[in-house]
Amino acid sequence: LAEWLAPEREGSGVVLVDCRFPYEWAGGHIVGAINLYTTAQLRQHFFGPSAQRTPAVVFYCEFSSKRAPASLEFVRSEDRLRELHRYPLVRYPRLYIRLTCGAGAVHAARVRVDERRALHGREVGAHRELPQSAAAC
């Protein structure tokens, strides 16, 4: 995951979907990730009028044991229905789940994290590299 999201690979088209709730997202998320946590949001992003194909989509949530797999399954099922005339081809053939302890594994992988904290009613964003020793699973 860290390799896919490295600064030199920016623009690679890999989409990282954070399936956590907005309050979890606001507490910090992987730089470049998008927050999609409902089926309506997933449908709009991946199949709406402005949807673009991507080389790979990686889903993650807190532990990647419920919300990320459910989101992946929804996108895969919706994709199959919409591309039935092209079976077995699909629009998004490379869907993945970040399995190693979900968001917690991000710390061990040394991925840049965007931390947003409310400060006197304002959102303040900061990016930092996490040391490899941080929060291992």
Side-chain angles (χ1 to χ4, degrees):
L1 182 60
E3 182 180 312
W4 278 7
L5 300 174
E8 61 272 9
R9 301 247 347 226
E10 196 165 321
S12 66
V14 174
V15 174
L16 185 61
V17 179
D18 186 326
C19 304
R20 299 175 302 153
F21 297 118
Y23 70 90
E24 295 170 297
W25 166 267
H29 56 273
I30 299 172
V31 172
I34 56 174
N35 185 219
L36 304 173
Y37 64 98
T38 68
T39 56
Q41 290 172 329
L42 291 165
R43 185 178 290 117
Q44 178 64 30
H45 182 81
F46 291 105
F47 305 103
S50 61
Q52 296 180 354
R53 291 185 183 185
T54 60
V57 181
V58 180
F59 297 87
Y60 78 95
C61 58
E62 185 175 4
F63 300 108
S64 291
S65 63
K66 182 166 173 58
R67 291 175 282 180
S71 295
L72 182 146
E73 183 60 34
F74 173 78
V75 170
R76 173 59 73 227
S77 295
E78 190 76 12
D79 200 2
R80 280 271 181 239
L81 286 173
R82 291 171 183 262
E83 300 295 330
L84 197 55
H85 63 284
R86 296 180 42 207
Y87 184 84
L89 301 176
V90 290
R91 183 178 182 131
Y92 301 102
R94 295 177 62 199
L95 301 178
Y96 302 98
I97 299 171
R98 174 67 182 159
L99 291 176
T100 312
C101 298
V106 168
H107 298 286
R110 298 179 56 95
V111 174
R112 287 177 48 220
V113 174
D114 181 2
E115 295 181 354
R116 300 198 181 275
R117 302 283 188 253
L119 181 63
H120 304 290
R122 297 185 329 205
E123 288 291 317
V124 177
H127 301 291
R128 66 182 174 102
E129 289 286 330
L130 294 171
Q132 195 160 5
S133 60
C137 298

